[in-house]
Amino acid sequence: MAVAERSVGERRAAIYQSGRDGQPDRAFPTPQQVAQAAREIVVPSPRQVIAANARRMKDASQFDQSMVLNMGPQHPSTHGVLRLVVELEGEEVVQLAPDIGFLHTGIEKNMEAKTYQKALVMTERTDYLGPMINNLVYALAVEKLLDCEIPPRAQVGRVLLSELTRMNSYLVWLGTHALDLAAMSVFLYCFRERELLLDIFELVSGARMHTSYIRPGGLAWDFPKEFKATVQHFLNIFPSRIDEYEALLTDNPIWKERTVGVGKLTAADAVALGASGANLRAAGVPYDVRKLFPYSGYENYDFRLITGTEGDTYERYLVRIAELREAVKIAQQALDNLPDGPYATSDRKIWPPPKEEITYSMESLIHHFKLWTEGFKPPKGDAYAAVESGRGELGCYVVSDGSSKPYRVHFRGPSFINLQALPHMAKGKVIGDLIAMLASLDPVLGEVDR
Amino acid sequence: MDFWIRLITQVIVAFILFLATTTAFAYLTLFERRLLARLQNRVGPNRAGPGGMFQPLADAVKLFFKEEITPTQADKVVYTIAPALAMIPAIVLFAVIPFGAYLDLSFLLGEAARIVPLQLADINVGVLFLLAVTSIGVYGVALGGWSSNNKYSMLGGIRAAAQMVSYELALGLSVLVAIMLTITPTTQAAADASLCSQIFGATPVESISALSTCRIVESQGGWWNIFKPTGLLAFGIFWLASTAEVVRAPFDLVEAEQELVGGFNTEYSSMKFALFFMAEYIKLIAISAIGVTLFLGGWRGPGVDLLYSLGYTNLGGLVSLGYFLLKLIAFLFFSVWVRATLPRFKYNQLMDLGWKRLLPMSLGLVAATAVFAVITQDMNPYIAGLFGAFRR
C-alpha cells in the first residue's frame, strides 16, 4: 500500500487536515471486506491458549520451546485487573487470550433493584474515567422512555461537561500510555491538568470522580457562579499544555520507534471486531456518534471528525491528541453559548418542584413525596441511547415494565469490545509492543467487566 | 616494615572509599528522587529530616527489616550469591579512579605522608581493569534472573546478558579512543618529571602505558578529551553505551517494570534486593566517574595547577577533588534528566542500535582517531595535541 510509505510528518498533517472542508471523505469498508476480515479473526480463550501450547510442546524439539506467560491480573501495565494469557516464543507473542471478569461487580443487575434515579449512581462506576458521559448515556435512554424535554441550559451544559470528561479520559489515556512506554514525566504532567478538571467536577457536583451530576430530566442542580470563570481558565491554559505533551512525544524518535507500525488494525478488521472511538477512527473509518447520530445538540457545534489512515499505535495517539484539541473547541463553544434559564425539565412527574413551591402548593408537595419515595414510572417499552465516550460508542439499553425500577439495563461498553482487538493485533509481536498496543486501545477494566 | 605500613594505609584508604561509595549511593537515590520530582512537578521525599536528608537512612532501615523470601523452586546457592556478584564488581571499580591529584598530610602523619594520592591504586592497565570488572557485573544480574525460577525474571536475565554483552563492544571501542588520545612521555627524563611519577613514584619509561587512569588524566592538562573532535564523538558513544551497560533509562529493559514487572529482581526482597539496587546505582556512579576521568579531564580544572605550583598542596588537592565531584554530579544530573524525559527502547531496537549503529560508528571512530593522530603528529604541537599524536 502506498499509504504505508508516507513519512510520519505527512501522516500527522493528514490527521490535522481530516474532516476539514474540501478534504476527501474517508469511506467505510465494504460489507464484503468486513465479512472477509471477520472470517480471519480469532479471539482465543485462555484455556485454548494453554491447551495449544501443551500440544505444541509435546513434539517440540529442544530449540523450539515456547512458554505460557501469565500477565496479570496483578501486573503494572494491564490497566487494572486484566489477565493476559500469552504464549511466548522467546519474547515473541505466538498468541494471547485476554481473561476478564476480575472486576465484575454486577452493576447492570444491581441497577434493576434500584429506582431510575438511584440507579444513576451505578453508571459512573463502570467507566470510572468518564463519569459524566456515563451519566449522560443513561439519562438519555431514560429520557427517551419518558419522552421528556430538556431545557437548553441543561443541553449545552451536558455537552460542555461531556467534553471536559472526554479530556479527562484522554488525559489518563495519554499519561498511562506514556508511562507504559516509560516516559513517566508525561504521566505526571497529564495528571496536573486532570487535577484542574477534577476540581471543576468537584465544583459542579461536589465529587471528583463519581459525580452523578447529569440526571434523567436535566442536571442535578444549577452551575455554581464561579463555574464559567473556572472552566474558561482551564480552556485558556489547556491548549498550550497539549503542545507540551506533544513536544515530549510526537517527534521523539524513541516514541516513534515504539509506536509507528505497532498494533496495526485495518479498517475492515476494526469494523469486523466492532471497535469504536479513536481506535476505529485511526484506522480510517469516519465513525463518530456525535457527528452521525447527534445527541444533546451536538449538531450545533463546529468540530471536525478526525480520522487517521494507518490504524497503528502512533496513529491512535495522533488522532486522540487531535481530538483533545477538538474537545477544547467544542467546550469553548458550549461555554460561550451557555444560556440562562432552568437547568432541568419542568415536568413535575419527573423532576421535583423547587423547595419554596412545596411550602404553599399541596400538589407540589405530593409530587415531591411521590418522586422521592416511589420514583417516576416510565411507560412500558425499551429505549437505546448511544453517545461518544472517551473510549468509543457507549450505548445504554433500558427496558421498562412500567414500574419505577428498570426491568433491565445493559451497557454497550466500548472498552470491552475494543479489547477484543488485542489478540488479533499482538500476534507475532514482542512483549514491549504488546504493552504499547494494550495502552493505546485504552480499555478501562471497570467498563470491561462491569 | 615499609610493606606493612603501606598495606595498612591502603586498607584504611580502601575502607574509607568503600564507605564513601555506599554513602554516595544513598544520597544519589535521594538526589534522583528529588530531582525527578522537580522535573515532574512534584515535591519528592522531604519528610525525613531537613529536605529529606535522612530519607536514605529510613529506606535502608526499612529494607533491612523486610522479610527475606527465597522461592521454594529457586536455585538456592546461585540465588543467594547473585546479589553479591552484582555488588562486588560495582565497588571494585572505584579502586583505579583518580578522584583528585594528591594531598600533603605530612603535618599529620609525618614525612611518609608527604604525598598522599587521591586514588587507591594506579595500575598500568587501569582501563582494561575497569572494562574487565564492569563485564563481571552481568553475571550477578543474569544468574539472579535465572536462579529465581520465574518467567519474568528469566526474561529479564536474558535481556540483561544480551544487552550488556552487546554494548560492551561499543563501550570498549569508545574507551579506546580516549586511550589513543592520551599522550605519554617517551623519554626517561620526561617520565621522571611527569605528575604521575611524582605521585606514585618513578617508573621506567618502558612500563608507562596510556591505559593508566592517572596518565589519562595527566595528559588532559591541555585539552580535555571532550574538547578534541574525535574525543567528543567518542564521548557521545561512551555515554550511550555506558547508559546501556548500567541499564539506566532509556535502556532499562532489564527491569522494565511495565513489561517484566521487576525483571531480574522480581523475586528478590529485603537486603538481597537492596544489594541489586545498590549495585545498579554504584555502577552508575562508577561509570560516570570513568566518563569524567576519560573524557572530562578527571580532576582537572582551572586553578588546580596554579595552586600546586604556588605550594598550596592541600588546597589544590581539595579543589581538584571538588572539580571531580562537580563533573560527576553534572554527569549524574544528565542521567536523571534523561530518565525523566525519554521513553524506553524496545528489545530489538536496542540490539539494532548496539550492533548496527554504535559498533560500526565506534570502529570507524577508532580508525579515524588513528589516522588523524598520524597525520598531525608532525604539525605544530597545538594541533597535534588536539588530535592526540602519540609522541611528545
Side-chain angles (χ1 to χ4, degrees):
Chain A
M1 211 159 65
V3 187
E5 285 147 23
R6 293 182 315 157
S7 76
V8 167
E10 284 169 42
R11 283 169 58 175
R12 205 160 89 222
I15 283 169
Y16 277 94
Q17 288 300 318
S18 68
R20 287 225 168 97
D21 289 342
Q23 291 297 314
D25 278 341
R26 304 211 197 286
F28 288 88
T30 63
Q32 287 79 20
Q33 285 171 332
V34 175
Q36 177 65 31
R39 270 195 290 278
E40 283 160 19
I41 291 169
V42 184
V43 183
S45 75
R47 215 173 274 189
Q48 280 170 329
V49 170
I50 294 166
N53 177 253
R55 269 200 308 280
R56 217 190 307 271
M57 291 299 287
K58 223 189 301 178
D59 35 46
S61 75
Q62 190 188 341
F63 305 104
D64 204 19
Q65 305 264 320
S66 60
M67 70 173 179
V68 174
L69 182 68
N70 185 31
M71 282 179 108
Q74 284 115 3
H75 187 277
S77 55
T78 49
H79 289 230
V81 281
L82 172 66
R83 173 179 175 227
L84 295 173
V85 180
V86 195
E87 187 182 359
L88 287 176
E89 234 181 70
E91 288 226 4
E92 201 179 298
V93 177
V94 181
Q95 56 173 344
L96 82 92
D99 186 9
I100 60 168
F102 292 95
L103 200 59
H104 177 61
T105 41
I107 282 174
E108 288 164 355
K109 190 71 189 165
N110 264 331
M111 286 170 82
E112 292 170 16
K114 295 178 186 301
T115 62
Y116 283 94
Q117 292 112 312
K118 287 179 182 169
L120 178 89
V121 298
M122 310 291 292
T123 61
E124 63 225 8
R125 267 102 181 140
T126 59
D127 177 0
Y128 42 78
L129 298 177
M132 297 279 195
I133 296 182
N134 287 283
N135 292 166
L136 178 62
V137 69
Y138 173 73
L140 286 176
V142 175
E143 282 158 11
K144 251 187 203 172
L145 278 175
L146 292 164
D147 196 22
C148 80
E149 278 289 307
I150 303 303
R153 186 173 171 82
Q155 292 278 36
V156 176
R158 284 175 173 192
V159 169
L160 175 55
L161 290 170
S162 285
E163 292 310 312
L164 292 178
T165 309
R166 193 181 319 283
M167 289 177 212
N168 173 23
S169 167
Y170 277 12
L171 280 176
V172 176
W173 155 78
L174 179 61
T176 51
H177 188 9
L179 187 67
D180 280 350
L181 301 187
M184 61 169 155
S185 295
V186 180
F187 173 76
L188 288 144
Y189 298 149
C190 287
F191 270 60
R192 176 184 62 192
E193 272 70 71
R194 181 173 181 251
E195 204 60 30
L196 297 175
L197 281 168
L198 293 178
D199 285 346
I200 293 174
F201 294 163
E202 192 180 0
L203 184 68
V204 295
S205 74
R208 284 155 61 83
M209 280 181 80
H210 299 306
T211 49
S212 300
Y213 184 64
I214 297 174
R215 297 183 182 177
L219 303 174
W221 43 78
D222 206 357
F223 293 119
K225 62 178 189 300
E226 314 92 305
F227 177 69
K228 243 181 157 164
T230 316
V231 176
Q232 189 57 56
H233 171 69
F234 175 76
L235 293 179
N236 288 344
I237 60 166
F238 192 50
S240 67
R241 299 288 166 85
I242 303 176
D243 295 339
E244 262 178 42
Y245 316 142
E246 281 221 83
L248 274 168
L249 297 177
T250 306
D251 278 324
N252 185 328
I254 304 179
W255 179 261
K256 282 193 281 196
E257 281 195 33
R258 287 298 301 271
T259 54
V260 173
V262 170
K264 269 200 176 185
L265 206 56
T266 64
D269 282 347
V271 174
L273 283 160
S276 56
N279 301 324
L280 181 63
R281 289 190 288 273
V285 183
Y287 183 85
D288 187 325
V289 184
R290 290 175 295 173
K291 273 278 188 218
L292 270 67
F293 310 102
Y295 53 90
S296 298
Y298 262 109
E299 62 274 20
N300 306 327
Y301 297 89
D302 170 36
F303 67 101
R304 294 185 292 126
L305 204 173
I306 310 284
T307 43
T309 41
E310 309 283 305
D312 60 4
T313 300
Y314 189 63
E315 199 95 345
R316 288 193 278 273
Y317 159 76
L318 289 177
V319 165
R320 284 202 178 93
I321 291 282
E323 285 183 1
L324 212 44
R325 294 185 196 279
E326 290 299 300
V328 175
K329 237 167 74 185
I330 302 173
Q332 186 63 59
Q333 291 170 45
L335 189 66
D336 291 342
N337 300 326
L338 190 67
D340 291 330
Y343 56 90
T345 176
S346 53
D347 188 343
R348 295 284 179 260
K349 300 284 180 209
I350 298 168
W351 200 264
K355 184 80 180 169
E356 59 274 13
E357 220 178 283
I358 298 171
T359 56
Y360 58 79
S361 161
M362 187 62 198
E363 200 191 351
S364 290
L365 183 64
I366 293 167
H367 276 138
H368 187 269
F369 180 75
K370 288 281 273 182
L371 270 176
W372 291 133
T373 51
E374 191 185 43
F376 53 72
K377 290 181 177 174
K380 265 189 188 174
D382 58 349
Y384 177 79
V387 298
E388 187 70 22
S389 89
R391 278 144 241 296
E393 177 178 351
L394 174 65
C396 178
Y397 180 62
V398 184
V399 183
S400 162
D401 58 356
S403 74
S404 60
K405 291 172 182 171
Y407 178 74
R408 177 79 173 95
V409 182
H410 176 73
F411 285 101
R412 182 210 186 270
S415 298
F416 172 68
I417 295 157
N418 288 342
L419 188 60
Q420 283 192 118
L422 192 62
H424 180 66
M425 282 163 30
K427 228 170 252 177
K429 296 290 195 297
V430 293
I431 297 183
D433 286 339
L434 175 62
I435 300 302
M437 285 175 224
L438 179 62
S440 85
L441 281 178
D442 191 24
V444 163
L445 268 293
E447 188 179 68
V448 172
D449 295 341
R450 297 198 287 278
Chain B
M1 192 60 201
D2 200 34
F3 168 78
W4 288 109
I5 290 174
R6 267 182 66 87
L7 185 72
I8 290 167
T9 2
Q10 287 295 70
V11 167
I12 291 171
V13 173
F15 189 66
I16 291 171
L17 194 56
F18 170 72
L19 289 181
T21 336
T22 36
T23 315
F25 147 74
Y27 282 92
L28 174 60
T29 59
L30 183 66
F31 174 73
E32 172 164 47
R33 289 169 70 182
R34 294 283 290 181
L35 183 59
L36 267 185
R38 289 284 296 169
L39 292 167
Q40 295 173 339
N41 198 32
R42 297 185 284 125
V43 181
N46 66 349
R47 296 289 95 181
M53 285 309 279
F54 300 137
Q55 185 66 38
L57 198 69
D59 290 340
V61 170
K62 185 200 80 170
L63 277 168
F64 262 116
F65 287 103
K66 284 265 174 183
E67 185 188 357
E68 196 152 320
I69 296 164
T70 308
T72 47
Q73 297 301 307
D75 187 319
K76 301 253 165 17
V77 179
V78 183
Y79 181 84
T80 312
I81 62 168
L85 274 181
M87 178 72 181
I88 293 167
I91 289 185
V92 169
L93 280 175
F94 285 93
V96 294
I97 289 168
F99 294 96
Y102 58 91
L103 295 174
D104 178 1
L105 297 182
S106 55
F107 64 94
L108 207 65
L109 303 169
E111 202 51 36
R114 171 67 64 191
I115 290 177
V116 178
L118 288 167
Q119 177 180 1
L120 187 57
D122 177 54
I123 45 181
N124 62 1
V125 288
V127 177
L128 277 186
F129 172 82
L130 287 176
L131 289 175
V133 175
T134 318
S135 314
I136 294 174
V138 69
Y139 284 106
V141 174
L143 289 178
W146 174 79
S147 67
S148 306
N149 203 7
N150 172 315
K151 286 169 183 170
Y152 290 118
S153 303
M154 197 186 71
L155 285 172
I158 294 169
R159 282 181 173 192
Q163 177 175 344
M164 290 184 180
V165 169
S166 308
Y167 276 81
E168 227 144 65
L169 294 166
L171 185 74
L173 288 170
S174 65
V175 167
L176 193 56
V177 173
I179 295 164
M180 290 166 83
L181 291 171
T182 299
I183 300 156
T184 49
T186 46
T187 61
Q188 189 64 50
D192 291 340
S194 68
L195 189 63
C196 284
S197 299
Q198 286 172 28
I199 301 176
F200 290 102
T203 43
V205 70
E206 298 82 44
S207 72
I208 290 175
S209 123
L211 292 169
S212 143
T213 46
C214 180
R215 297 286 169 189
I216 290 173
V217 176
E218 185 194 333
S219 126
Q220 295 181 66
W223 290 103
W224 298 352
N225 281 340
I226 195 176
F227 295 136
K228 302 171 184 172
T230 43
L232 182 62
L233 293 173
F235 177 71
I237 294 173
F238 174 85
W239 190 81
L240 277 174
S242 67
T243 310
E245 185 71 19
V246 297
V247 293
R248 281 282 297 183
F251 303 103
D252 53 346
L253 288 100
V254 173
E255 54 208 282
E257 81 245 21
Q258 285 87 3
E259 296 158 30
L260 301 182
V261 189
F264 68 93
N265 62 29
T266 306
E267 293 288 354
Y268 281 91
S269 58
S270 188
M271 276 315 282
K272 288 204 190 98
F273 167 75
L275 280 179
F276 272 128
F277 194 68
M278 278 170 85
E280 188 183 309
Y281 276 81
I282 290 176
K283 243 179 129 177
L284 173 66
I285 302 175
I287 211 96
S288 306
I290 295 169
V292 170
T293 306
L294 294 181
F295 294 99
L296 299 182
W299 46 260
R300 290 201 173 268
V304 175
D305 288 341
L306 184 71
L307 284 170
Y308 274 113
S309 62
L310 290 178
Y312 298 114
T313 311
N314 281 337
L315 190 59
L318 290 176
V319 169
S320 70
L321 181 64
Y323 275 125
F324 184 87
L325 293 178
L326 206 63
K327 291 171 189 173
L328 188 63
I329 289 169
F331 215 108
L332 294 171
F333 173 84
F334 199 70
S335 176
V336 176
W337 187 13
V338 165
R339 184 179 166 194
T341 314
L342 291 182
R344 182 185 295 121
F345 274 97
K346 209 164 66 185
Y347 185 56
N348 50 346
Q349 290 159 357
L350 181 88
M351 291 292 134
D352 277 1
L353 182 69
W355 290 99
K356 292 188 191 161
R357 299 194 207 162
L358 286 187
L359 184 59
M361 267 165 65
S362 49
L363 273 172
L365 196 59
V366 168
T369 313
V371 170
F372 279 131
V374 173
I375 291 174
T376 55
Q377 64 178 339
D378 296 327
M379 295 187 185
N380 78 46
Y382 189 74
I383 298 175
L386 201 55
F387 287 98
F390 294 116
R391 272 172 285 173
R392 180 182 274 169

